[in-house]
Amino acid sequence: MKIVVIGGTGLIGSKVVSKLGEHGHEAVAAAPNTGVDTLTGEGLDEALKGASVVVDVSNSPSFEDAAVLEFFETSTGNLLAAERKAGVGHHVALSVVGAERRPDVGYFRAKLAQEKLIKESGIPYSIVHATQFFEFVRRIADESADGDNVRIAPVGFQPIAGEEVARTVGRTAAGSPLNRTVEIAGPTQYRMDEFFRKALAALEDPREVVTDPEARYFGAVMGERDLVPGDGAALGEITYAEWLKTNAA
């Protein structure tokens, strides 16, 4: 079947497109660089013609509170309207583990607004909540840097390989709508500061990880279980050490 992947040229989207194609689906990568812009609506109607499923793994170019909220509300609103027009029967969205626990955090609040639009759209849907990706370890460290130190809070952290997120999203898209949210996380739960201490050492990054209960993540101080899944989450199999062997570059 035809499955349109919004954000289909990005980190997760490109993997989703590839996996769907391997399983015989007509997977279409839709993004601004392929002529589809969900913020303006440009190219949406044409891209969605004949589509059975739409997968949205797009992300905001800015994480500033107002900008990220505007992105998800506008792009999701335009996308759902185009889906209704095209008769799409399943909307799949990638979101974030912990969003519903911390609506005070700007990015999480924006994802919740996106999810609300999806749930109220009348279109059958599936929402996949994922933990943070291994691919973003360096970026998180850089954003948490304070000179030669990296300040990380001692809270729960259970990152996952982007490959396994894409696999779950692809399988969800190929299946029947769940009309609910499922969670996916990596195989191992860590204390976030301890994970980054080992991760930076493995990357031969000389910066020192400082345990700081007041360190911010997504602009906010996190609680012990804000970033880890609840009971019943699907767990990946790839460990960070295994992922690093093939992705160190």
Side-chain angles (χ1 to χ4, degrees), residues 195-217:
F195 171 83
F196 275 90
R197 201 165 281 123
K198 293 176 181 177
L200 293 192
L203 292 168
E204 299 182 351
D205 187 320
R207 292 176 293 184
E208 180 181 356
V209 174
V210 176
T211 301
D212 182 357
E214 298 302 311
R216 293 177 175 268
Y217 180 81

Side-chain angles (χ1 to χ4, degrees), residues 10-226:
L11 171 67
I12 301 299
S14 58
K15 297 180 192 302
V16 173
V17 168
S18 176
K19 290 182 182 301
L20 288 171
E22 289 169 6
H23 287 84
H25 299 290
E26 181 191 350
V28 178
N33 58 0
T34 68
V36 180
D37 190 333
T38 53
L39 280 177
T40 64
E42 179 187 357
L44 268 180
D45 289 346
E46 185 62 30
L48 266 55
K49 281 182 180 176
S52 299
V53 183
V54 168
V55 175
D56 186 5
V57 293
S58 62
N59 208 355
S60 173
S62 169
F63 282 14
E64 187 274 325
D65 285 3
V68 72
L69 181 62
E70 181 180 0
F71 174 86
F72 282 117
E73 287 187 331
T74 302
S75 63
T76 304
N78 288 340
L79 183 55
L80 291 169
E83 287 177 35
R84 280 190 288 267
K85 185 176 177 180
V88 171
H90 187 189
H91 179 99
V92 180
L94 178 62
S95 192
V96 187
V97 162
E100 73 284 355
R101 296 178 214 137
R102 294 298 303 270
D104 58 305
V105 178
Y107 186 81
F108 290 0
R109 184 164 58 249
K111 293 302 286 184
L112 287 174
Q114 177 190 29
E115 292 180 29
K116 184 173 186 288
L117 288 171
I118 293 166
K119 292 172 182 177
E120 294 177 352
S121 69
I123 298 169
Y125 71 91
S126 303
I127 296 173
V128 177
H129 275 194
T131 54
Q132 190 54 270
F133 312 148
F134 291 150
E135 284 85 348
F136 291 156
V137 165
R138 286 183 189 270
R139 184 186 303 180
I140 295 169
D142 290 345
E143 291 176 353
S144 303
D146 179 15
D148 292 332
N149 296 326
V150 176
R151 297 190 172 276
I152 303 288
V155 298
F157 191 61
Q158 198 165 340
I160 185 170
E163 181 84 7
E164 295 195 299
V165 175
R167 183 179 300 121
T168 297
V169 170
R171 286 175 177 168
T172 303
S176 299
L178 301 172
N179 293 311
R180 61 184 175 90
T181 300
V182 295
E183 290 187 318
I184 182 168
T188 309
Q189 188 172 140
Y190 306 88
R191 212 176 74 171
M192 193 173 181
D193 55 330
E194 293 175 350
F195 171 83
F196 275 90
R197 201 165 281 123
K198 293 176 181 177
L200 293 192
L203 292 168
E204 299 182 351
D205 187 320
R207 292 176 293 184
E208 180 181 356
V209 174
V210 176
T211 301
D212 182 357
E214 298 302 311
R216 293 177 175 268
Y217 180 81
F218 276 114
V221 175
M222 292 292 163
E224 172 59 31
R225 297 198 58 79
D226 285 346

